[in-house]
Amino acid sequence: METTTTPRPLAEEPEKTSAFENSLKSNDTEEQIDIWFYRPIGYQIALFCAKVGIRPNPVTIISIFFGVAAGILFYPQQLWINVIGMLSLMFANSLDSADGQLARMTNDKSRFGRILDGVAGDFWFIAIHIALCLRSMEEGWSAWIWVPGVVAGFSHMIQSAMADYYRNVHLFFIKGSNGSELDNSRDLQKEYDEMSWTRQFGMKIVARLYLNYTKEQEFFSPKLQKLLAVVKEKYQNGLPAKLVTDFRAQNKPLMKYTNIVQFNTRVIFLFLWLFLDQSWIYFLFDIFVLNPILIYMIVKQEQVSNHFYKEITSGKYNG
């Protein structure tokens, strides 16, 4: 999103007092498991990388290798091998924390880095879903197990995309453009059209994938799109403080749903079913538990967006 908004500290959000806290996006959007476990590990990795001159994108690429390796290690039925896979997946997620923290610590941010960070988790879970389908067939399931495996995979991609989008919308309202990674398909389309297939072949493919990803997010949030459009039109010099405060108060409770459909909840249950040697249940959990939460999250976010669209267009937040 290219809206020019001025980030402002909020009275409701405690002032960050440590370098570790400054490496986080926002307390509003952080999950407790991340704050207690993954972010501290990621911070130490980020400090090391900053010291030796490793940039964020190589950290993300390394996380892809560990995440895919985890998926491969979930294929055998030996629990001790699965446990190594669990540790590998946890380390991959620590690296995924580290790349963002390193980018914020060193101000080494790029759109390519954001895209790479977004697809890293997709690589992990593609490998995991393939491994669990093959494992299930070894256990006696027919090839039909690929149907819930694929459906759960696409469900996961939509869940992650929308959770990431809603987090960035929240960060946009409370911190402005500089504190968020919110994009829109109109600006991305212009950038894509200006790229050359002959000189920028690889980046043009990446840009096309990211454009499709952003269009998917916008497709599932029509009322939010109306809100963002009116905000861009009316508040080119910054959002009114009261709008920021009111939006944060209503939208912050919805952030817990973005956490539920992302990494930690699904992985806890994945590990549980691997310990019970019933890994196929993971697909049902993704489809029949996380999808209803996704739907509820979208409905509630649309209600909040519609509320503030009406308030803004009625003139409540003028000035």
Side-chain angles (χ1 to χ4, degrees), residues 252-309:
K252 182 179 177 181
L254 303 184
M255 291 300 98
K256 62 177 175 288
Y257 300 111
T258 69
N259 292 327
I260 291 172
V261 300
Q262 288 208 310
F263 183 84
N264 291 324
T265 301
R266 70 175 64 249
V267 164
I268 289 171
F269 283 95
L270 171 62
F271 290 177
L272 172 63
W273 288 311
L274 284 167
F275 273 110
L276 297 176
D277 198 19
Q278 300 292 329
S279 59
W280 59 273
I281 302 178
Y282 173 73
F283 299 147
L284 303 184
F285 176 76
D286 212 323
I287 297 169
F288 296 111
V289 176
L290 295 185
N291 273 343
I293 296 173
L294 167 69
I295 294 170
Y296 182 78
M297 177 178 71
I298 291 174
V299 169
K300 296 298 292 184
Q301 187 73 60
E302 287 289 275
Q303 289 175 352
V304 169
S305 299
N306 191 48
H307 167 77
F308 282 100
Y309 175 79

Side-chain angles (χ1 to χ4, degrees), residues 4-23:
T4 55
T5 53
T6 304
R8 55 175 63 80
L10 299 178
E12 295 89 343
E13 183 171 353
E15 183 181 354
K16 293 180 172 62
T17 56
S18 71
F20 168 70
E21 290 173 317
N22 282 324
S23 74

